Amino acid sequence: MDEAVFSEWALKILLTGLVIFLGFIVWDLGKKSKAGKFGMFVLFLVLGLGVFGFIFKNILIEFFVLQK
């Protein structure tokens, strides 16, 4: 396994772990602050939009930059 393959796998695995950990942090924050259902929805919506933006950025980079 060369360095590029290892980096690609590590990025996918560790970023997935980080997003799951951030989800736990947001859930704990909402629970401790007694945010309620709507507050938890907003917290997870913002986290989800951030993750979606990161994934969408990577898709755009691969589609536009690496196609050339």
Side-chain angles (χ1 to χ4, degrees):
M1 177 185 304
D2 61 341
E3 192 269 334
V5 175
F6 176 75
S7 294
E8 185 178 338
W9 275 83
L11 181 70
K12 290 178 183 177
I13 293 170
L14 294 176
L15 275 179
T16 302
L18 179 65
V19 169
I20 291 170
F21 184 62
L22 286 173
F24 171 74
I25 290 171
V26 168
W27 174 77
D28 191 46
L29 177 69
K31 185 178 174 185
K32 286 183 180 177
S33 67
K34 299 176 185 163
K37 289 182 181 181
F38 182 71
M40 291 286 266
F41 172 74
V42 170
L43 288 171
F44 278 105
L45 177 69
V46 170
L47 177 65
L49 286 175
V51 171
F52 176 75
F54 178 77
I55 293 171
F56 188 68
K57 176 194 65 129
N58 287 333
I59 291 171
L60 285 178
I61 288 172
E62 291 209 16
F63 184 71
F64 287 119
V65 174
L66 299 180
Q67 291 289 328
K68 295 180 180 183

Coordinates of all heavy atoms in Angstrom, one line a residue:
M1 N 0.9 -1.2 0.0 CA 0.0 0.0 0.0 C 0.9 1.2 0.0 O 1.7 1.4 0.9 CB -0.9 0.0 1.2 CG -1.8 1.2 1.4 SD -2.8 1.3 2.9 CE -3.7 -0.2 2.9
D2 N 0.7 2.1 -1.0 CA 1.5 3.3 -1.0 C 0.9 4.4 -0.2 O -0.2 4.3 0.3 CB 1.8 3.7 -2.5 CG 0.5 4.1 -3.2 OD1 -0.6 3.6 -2.8 OD2 0.6 4.8 -4.2
E3 N 1.6 5.5 -0.1 CA 1.1 6.6 0.7 C -0.2 7.3 0.3 O -1.0 7.7 1.1 CB 2.3 7.7 0.8 CG 2.1 8.7 1.8 CD 1.3 9.9 1.4 OE1 1.3 10.2 0.2 OE2 0.7 10.6 2.2
A4 N -0.4 7.3 -1.0 CA -1.6 8.0 -1.5 C -2.9 7.1 -1.2 O -3.9 7.7 -0.7 CB -1.5 8.1 -3.0
V5 N -2.8 5.8 -1.3 CA -3.9 5.0 -0.9 C -4.1 5.0 0.6 O -5.3 5.1 1.0 CB -3.6 3.5 -1.4 CG1 -4.7 2.6 -0.9 CG2 -3.5 3.5 -2.9
F6 N -3.1 5.0 1.4 CA -3.2 5.1 2.8 C -3.9 6.4 3.2 O -4.7 6.4 4.1 CB -1.8 4.9 3.5 CG -1.9 5.1 5.0 CD1 -2.4 4.1 5.8 CD2 -1.5 6.3 5.6 CE1 -2.5 4.3 7.2 CE2 -1.5 6.5 6.9 CZ -2.1 5.5 7.7
S7 N -3.4 7.5 2.6 CA -4.0 8.8 2.9 C -5.5 8.9 2.6 O -6.3 9.4 3.3 CB -3.2 9.9 2.2 OG -1.9 10.0 2.6
E8 N -5.8 8.3 1.5 CA -7.2 8.3 1.1 C -8.1 7.5 2.0 O -9.2 8.0 2.4 CB -7.4 7.7 -0.4 CG -8.8 7.8 -0.9 CD -8.8 7.3 -2.3 OE1 -7.8 7.2 -3.0 OE2 -9.9 6.9 -2.7
W9 N -7.7 6.3 2.4 CA -8.4 5.5 3.4 C -8.5 6.2 4.7 O -9.5 6.2 5.4 CB -7.7 4.2 3.5 CG -8.2 3.2 2.4 CD1 -7.7 3.1 1.2 CD2 -9.2 2.2 2.6 NE1 -8.4 2.1 0.5 CE2 -9.3 1.6 1.3 CE3 -10.1 1.9 3.6 CZ2 -10.3 0.6 1.1 CZ3 -11.0 0.9 3.4 CH2 -11.1 0.2 2.1
A10 N -7.3 6.7 5.2 CA -7.3 7.4 6.5 C -8.2 8.6 6.5 O -8.9 8.8 7.5 CB -5.9 7.8 6.8
L11 N -8.2 9.4 5.5 CA -9.1 10.5 5.4 C -10.6 10.1 5.5 O -11.3 10.7 6.3 CB -8.9 11.3 4.1 CG -9.7 12.5 3.9 CD1 -9.2 13.6 4.9 CD2 -9.6 13.0 2.5
K12 N -11.0 9.1 4.8 CA -12.4 8.7 4.8 C -12.7 8.1 6.2 O -13.8 8.4 6.8 CB -12.6 7.6 3.8 CG -12.6 8.2 2.4 CD -12.8 7.1 1.3 CE -12.7 7.7 -0.1 NZ -12.9 6.6 -1.1
I13 N -11.9 7.3 6.8 CA -12.2 6.6 8.1 C -12.2 7.7 9.2 O -13.1 7.7 10.0 CB -11.2 5.5 8.3 CG1 -11.5 4.4 7.3 CG2 -11.4 5.0 9.7 CD1 -10.4 3.3 7.3
L14 N -11.1 8.5 9.3 CA -11.0 9.4 10.4 C -12.0 10.5 10.3 O -12.5 11.0 11.3 CB -9.6 9.9 10.5 CG -8.5 8.9 10.8 CD1 -7.1 9.5 10.8 CD2 -8.8 8.2 12.2
L15 N -12.3 11.0 9.1 CA -13.4 12.1 9.0 C -14.7 11.5 9.3 O -15.5 12.2 10.0 CB -13.4 12.6 7.6 CG -12.4 13.8 7.3 CD1 -12.5 14.2 5.9 CD2 -12.6 14.9 8.3
T16 N -15.0 10.3 9.0 CA -16.3 9.7 9.4 C -16.3 9.6 11.0 O -17.4 9.9 11.6 CB -16.4 8.3 8.8 OG1 -16.4 8.3 7.4 CG2 -17.7 7.6 9.2
G17 N -15.2 9.2 11.6 CA -15.2 9.1 13.0 C -15.4 10.5 13.6 O -16.0 10.7 14.7
L18 N -14.8 11.5 13.0 CA -14.9 12.9 13.5 C -16.3 13.4 13.4 O -16.8 14.0 14.4 CB -13.9 13.8 12.8 CG -14.0 15.3 13.1 CD1 -13.5 15.5 14.6 CD2 -13.1 16.1 12.2
V19 N -17.0 13.1 12.3 CA -18.4 13.5 12.2 C -19.3 12.8 13.2 O -20.2 13.5 13.8 CB -18.9 13.3 10.7 CG1 -20.4 13.5 10.6 CG2 -18.1 14.2 9.8
I20 N -19.0 11.6 13.4 CA -19.8 10.9 14.5 C -19.6 11.4 15.8 O -20.5 11.7 16.6 CB -19.5 9.3 14.4 CG1 -20.0 8.7 13.1 CG2 -20.1 8.6 15.6 CD1 -19.6 7.3 12.8
F21 N -18.3 11.7 16.1 CA -18.0 12.4 17.4 C -18.6 13.7 17.6 O -19.1 14.1 18.6 CB -16.4 12.4 17.6 CG -16.0 13.0 18.9 CD1 -16.3 12.3 20.1 CD2 -15.3 14.1 19.0 CE1 -15.9 12.8 21.3 CE2 -14.9 14.7 20.2 CZ -15.2 14.0 21.4
L22 N -18.6 14.5 16.5 CA -19.2 15.8 16.5 C -20.7 15.7 16.7 O -21.4 16.5 17.4 CB -18.9 16.6 15.2 CG -17.5 17.2 15.1 CD1 -17.4 17.8 13.7 CD2 -17.3 18.2 16.2
G23 N -21.3 14.7 16.1 CA -22.7 14.4 16.4 C -23.0 14.1 17.8 O -24.0 14.6 18.4
F24 N -22.2 13.3 18.5 CA -22.3 13.1 19.9 C -22.2 14.3 20.7 O -22.9 14.6 21.6 CB -21.3 12.0 20.4 CG -21.3 11.9 21.9 CD1 -22.3 11.2 22.5 CD2 -20.2 12.4 22.6 CE1 -22.3 11.1 23.9 CE2 -20.2 12.3 24.0 CZ -21.2 11.6 24.6
I25 N -21.2 15.2 20.3 CA -21.0 16.4 21.1 C -22.3 17.3 20.9 O -22.7 17.9 21.9 CB -19.8 17.2 20.6 CG1 -18.5 16.4 21.0 CG2 -19.7 18.6 21.1 CD1 -17.3 16.9 20.3
V26 N -22.8 17.4 19.7 CA -24.0 18.2 19.5 C -25.2 17.7 20.3 O -26.0 18.4 20.9 CB -24.3 18.3 18.0 CG1 -25.7 18.9 17.8 CG2 -23.3 19.2 17.3
W27 N -25.4 16.3 20.3 CA -26.4 15.7 21.0 C -26.3 16.0 22.5 O -27.3 16.3 23.2 CB -26.4 14.2 20.8 CG -27.4 13.4 21.6 CD1 -28.8 13.4 21.4 CD2 -27.1 12.7 22.8 NE1 -29.3 12.6 22.4 CE2 -28.3 12.2 23.2 CE3 -26.0 12.4 23.4 CZ2 -28.4 11.4 24.4 CZ3 -26.0 11.6 24.6 CH2 -27.3 11.1 25.0
D28 N -25.1 15.9 23.0 CA -24.8 16.1 24.5 C -25.1 17.6 24.8 O -25.7 17.9 25.9 CB -23.4 15.7 24.8 CG -23.2 15.7 26.3 OD1 -24.0 15.1 27.0 OD2 -22.2 16.3 26.8
L29 N -24.7 18.5 23.9 CA -24.9 19.9 24.1 C -26.4 20.2 24.2 O -26.9 20.9 25.1 CB -24.2 20.7 23.0 CG -24.4 22.2 23.1 CD1 -23.7 22.8 24.3 CD2 -23.9 22.8 21.8
G30 N -27.2 19.6 23.3 CA -28.6 19.9 23.2 C -29.3 19.3 24.5 O -30.2 19.8 25.0
K31 N -28.8 18.1 24.9 CA -29.4 17.5 26.1 C -29.1 18.3 27.3 O -30.0 18.5 28.1 CB -28.9 16.0 26.2 CG -29.5 15.2 27.3 CD -28.9 13.8 27.3 CE -29.4 13.1 28.5 NZ -28.8 11.8 28.6
K32 N -27.9 18.7 27.5 CA -27.5 19.5 28.7 C -28.2 20.8 28.8 O -28.5 21.4 29.8 CB -26.0 19.6 28.8 CG -25.3 18.3 29.2 CD -23.8 18.5 29.4 CE -23.2 17.2 29.8 NZ -21.7 17.3 29.9
S33 N -28.4 21.4 27.6 CA -29.0 22.8 27.6 C -30.6 22.7 27.5 O -31.2 23.7 27.5 CB -28.5 23.6 26.4 OG -28.9 23.0 25.2
K34 N -31.1 21.5 27.5 CA -32.5 21.3 27.4 C -33.1 22.0 26.2 O -34.1 22.8 26.3 CB -33.2 21.7 28.7 CG -32.7 20.9 29.9 CD -33.3 21.4 31.2 CE -32.7 20.6 32.3 NZ -32.9 21.2 33.6
A35 N -32.6 21.7 25.1 CA -33.0 22.4 23.8 C -34.3 22.0 23.3 O -35.0 22.8 22.6 CB -31.9 22.2 22.7
G36 N -34.8 20.9 23.6 CA -36.1 20.4 23.1 C -35.9 19.8 21.7 O -34.8 19.8 21.2
K37 N -37.1 19.4 21.2 CA -37.0 18.8 19.9 C -36.6 19.7 18.8 O -35.8 19.4 17.9 CB -38.4 18.1 19.5 CG -38.7 16.9 20.4 CD -40.0 16.3 20.0 CE -40.3 15.1 20.8 NZ -41.5 14.4 20.5
F38 N -37.2 20.9 18.8 CA -36.9 21.9 17.7 C -35.4 22.3 17.8 O -34.7 22.5 16.8 CB -37.8 23.1 17.8 CG -37.6 24.1 16.7 CD1 -37.9 23.8 15.4 CD2 -37.0 25.3 17.0 CE1 -37.6 24.7 14.4 CE2 -36.7 26.2 16.0 CZ -37.1 25.9 14.7
G39 N -34.9 22.6 19.0 CA -33.5 23.0 19.2 C -32.6 21.9 18.8 O -31.6 22.2 18.1
M40 N -32.9 20.6 19.1 CA -32.0 19.5 18.6 C -32.0 19.5 17.1 O -31.0 19.2 16.5 CB -32.5 18.2 19.2 CG -32.2 18.1 20.7 SD -30.5 17.9 21.1 CE -30.4 16.2 21.3
F41 N -33.2 19.7 16.5 CA -33.3 19.6 15.1 C -32.5 20.7 14.4 O -31.7 20.5 13.5 CB -34.8 19.8 14.6 CG -35.0 20.0 13.2 CD1 -34.9 18.9 12.3 CD2 -35.2 21.3 12.6 CE1 -35.0 19.1 10.9 CE2 -35.4 21.4 11.3 CZ -35.3 20.3 10.4
V42 N -32.5 21.9 15.0 CA -31.7 23.0 14.4 C -30.2 22.7 14.6 O -29.4 22.9 13.7 CB -32.1 24.3 15.1 CG1 -31.1 25.4 14.8 CG2 -33.5 24.7 14.7
L43 N -29.8 22.2 15.8 CA -28.4 21.9 16.0 C -27.9 20.8 15.0 O -26.8 21.0 14.4 CB -28.2 21.4 17.4 CG -28.3 22.4 18.5 CD1 -28.3 21.7 19.9 CD2 -27.1 23.4 18.4
F44 N -28.7 19.8 14.8 CA -28.3 18.7 13.9 C -28.4 19.2 12.4 O -27.6 18.7 11.5 CB -29.0 17.4 14.1 CG -28.5 16.6 15.2 CD1 -29.1 16.6 16.4 CD2 -27.3 15.9 15.0 CE1 -28.6 15.8 17.5 CE2 -26.8 15.2 16.1 CZ -27.4 15.1 17.3
L45 N -29.3 20.1 12.1 CA -29.4 20.7 10.8 C -28.2 21.4 10.4 O -27.6 21.3 9.3 CB -30.6 21.6 10.7 CG -30.8 22.2 9.3 CD1 -31.2 21.2 8.2 CD2 -31.9 23.3 9.4
V46 N -27.7 22.2 11.3 CA -26.5 23.0 11.1 C -25.3 22.1 10.9 O -24.4 22.3 10.0 CB -26.3 24.1 12.2 CG1 -24.9 24.7 12.1 CG2 -27.4 25.1 12.2
L47 N -25.1 21.1 11.8 CA -24.0 20.1 11.7 C -24.1 19.4 10.3 O -23.1 19.3 9.6 CB -24.1 19.1 12.8 CG -23.0 18.0 12.7 CD1 -21.6 18.6 12.8 CD2 -23.3 17.0 13.8
G48 N -25.3 19.0 9.9 CA -25.5 18.3 8.7 C -25.2 19.2 7.5 O -24.6 18.7 6.5
L49 N -25.6 20.5 7.5 CA -25.2 21.4 6.4 C -23.7 21.6 6.3 O -23.2 21.7 5.2 CB -26.0 22.7 6.6 CG -27.5 22.7 6.3 CD1 -28.0 24.1 6.7 CD2 -27.7 22.4 4.9
G50 N -23.0 21.6 7.4 CA -21.6 21.8 7.4 C -20.9 20.5 6.8 O -20.0 20.7 5.9
V51 N -21.4 19.4 7.1 CA -20.9 18.1 6.6 C -21.2 18.1 5.1 O -20.4 17.7 4.2 CB -21.4 16.9 7.3 CG1 -21.1 15.6 6.6 CG2 -20.9 16.9 8.7
F52 N -22.4 18.4 4.7 CA -22.8 18.4 3.3 C -22.0 19.4 2.5 O -21.6 19.1 1.4 CB -24.3 18.8 3.2 CG -24.8 18.9 1.8 CD1 -25.0 17.7 1.0 CD2 -25.0 20.1 1.2 CE1 -25.4 17.8 -0.3 CE2 -25.4 20.2 -0.1 CZ -25.6 19.1 -0.9
G53 N -21.7 20.5 3.0 CA -20.9 21.5 2.3 C -19.5 21.0 2.1 O -18.9 21.2 1.0
F54 N -18.9 20.3 3.1 CA -17.6 19.7 2.9 C -17.6 18.7 1.8 O -16.7 18.6 1.0 CB -17.1 19.1 4.2 CG -15.8 18.5 4.2 CD1 -14.6 19.2 4.1 CD2 -15.7 17.1 4.1 CE1 -13.4 18.7 4.0 CE2 -14.4 16.5 4.0 CZ -13.3 17.3 4.0
I55 N -18.6 17.8 1.8 CA -18.7 16.7 0.8 C -18.9 17.3 -0.6 O -18.3 16.9 -1.6 CB -19.8 15.7 1.2 CG1 -19.3 14.9 2.5 CG2 -20.0 14.7 0.1 CD1 -20.4 14.1 3.1
F56 N -19.8 18.3 -0.6 CA -20.1 18.9 -1.9 C -18.9 19.6 -2.5 O -18.7 19.6 -3.7 CB -21.3 19.9 -1.7 CG -21.8 20.5 -3.0 CD1 -22.5 19.6 -3.9 CD2 -21.7 21.8 -3.3 CE1 -23.0 20.1 -5.1 CE2 -22.2 22.3 -4.5 CZ -22.8 21.5 -5.4
K57 N -18.1 20.3 -1.6 CA -16.9 20.9 -2.1 C -15.9 19.9 -2.7 O -15.3 20.2 -3.8 CB -16.2 21.7 -0.9 CG -14.9 22.3 -1.3 CD -14.1 22.7 -0.1 CE -13.7 21.5 0.7 NZ -12.3 21.3 1.0
N58 N -15.8 18.8 -2.1 CA -14.9 17.7 -2.6 C -15.4 17.2 -3.9 O -14.6 16.9 -4.8 CB -14.7 16.6 -1.6 CG -13.8 17.0 -0.4 OD1 -13.0 17.9 -0.6 ND2 -14.0 16.4 0.7
I59 N -16.7 17.0 -4.0 CA -17.3 16.6 -5.3 C -17.0 17.6 -6.4 O -16.6 17.2 -7.5 CB -18.8 16.3 -5.1 CG1 -19.0 15.1 -4.3 CG2 -19.5 16.1 -6.5 CD1 -20.4 14.8 -3.8
L60 N -17.2 18.9 -6.1 CA -17.0 19.9 -7.1 C -15.5 19.9 -7.5 O -15.2 20.1 -8.7 CB -17.4 21.3 -6.6 CG -18.9 21.5 -6.5 CD1 -19.1 22.9 -6.0 CD2 -19.5 21.4 -7.9
I61 N -14.6 19.8 -6.6 CA -13.2 19.8 -6.9 C -12.8 18.6 -7.8 O -12.1 18.8 -8.8 CB -12.3 19.8 -5.6 CG1 -12.4 21.1 -4.9 CG2 -10.9 19.4 -5.9 CD1 -11.8 21.2 -3.6
E62 N -13.3 17.4 -7.5 CA -13.0 16.3 -8.3 C -13.7 16.4 -9.7 O -13.1 16.0 -10.7 CB -13.5 15.0 -7.6 CG -12.7 14.7 -6.4 CD -12.7 13.2 -6.1 OE1 -13.0 12.4 -7.0 OE2 -12.3 12.8 -5.0
F63 N -14.8 17.0 -9.8 CA -15.5 17.1 -11.1 C -14.9 18.1 -12.0 O -14.7 17.9 -13.2 CB -17.0 17.4 -10.8 CG -17.8 17.4 -12.1 CD1 -18.1 16.3 -12.7 CD2 -18.3 18.6 -12.6 CE1 -18.9 16.3 -13.9 CE2 -19.1 18.7 -13.7 CZ -19.3 17.5 -14.4
F64 N -14.6 19.3 -11.4 CA -14.1 20.4 -12.2 C -12.6 20.4 -12.4 O -12.1 20.7 -13.5 CB -14.6 21.8 -11.7 CG -16.0 22.0 -12.0 CD1 -16.9 22.2 -10.9 CD2 -16.5 22.0 -13.3 CE1 -18.3 22.4 -11.2 CE2 -17.9 22.2 -13.5 CZ -18.7 22.4 -12.5
V65 N -11.9 20.2 -11.3 CA -10.4 20.4 -11.3 C -9.7 19.1 -11.9 O -8.8 19.2 -12.7 CB -9.9 20.8 -9.9 CG1 -8.4 20.8 -9.9 CG2 -10.5 22.1 -9.5
L66 N -10.1 18.0 -11.4 CA -9.4 16.7 -11.7 C -9.9 16.2 -13.1 O -9.3 15.2 -13.6 CB -9.6 15.7 -10.6 CG -9.1 16.1 -9.3 CD1 -9.3 15.0 -8.3 CD2 -7.6 16.4 -9.4
Q67 N -10.9 16.7 -13.7 CA -11.4 16.3 -15.0 C -10.5 16.8 -16.1 O -10.4 16.2 -17.2 CB -12.8 16.7 -15.3 CG -13.8 16.0 -14.4 CD -14.0 14.6 -14.8 OE1 -13.9 14.2 -16.0 NE2 -14.3 13.7 -13.8
K68 N -9.7 17.8 -15.9 CA -8.9 18.4 -16.9 C -7.6 17.6 -17.2 O -7.1 16.9 -16.5 CB -8.5 19.9 -16.6 CG -9.8 20.7 -16.6 CD -9.4 22.1 -16.2 CE -10.7 23.0 -16.2 NZ -10.5 24.3 -16.0

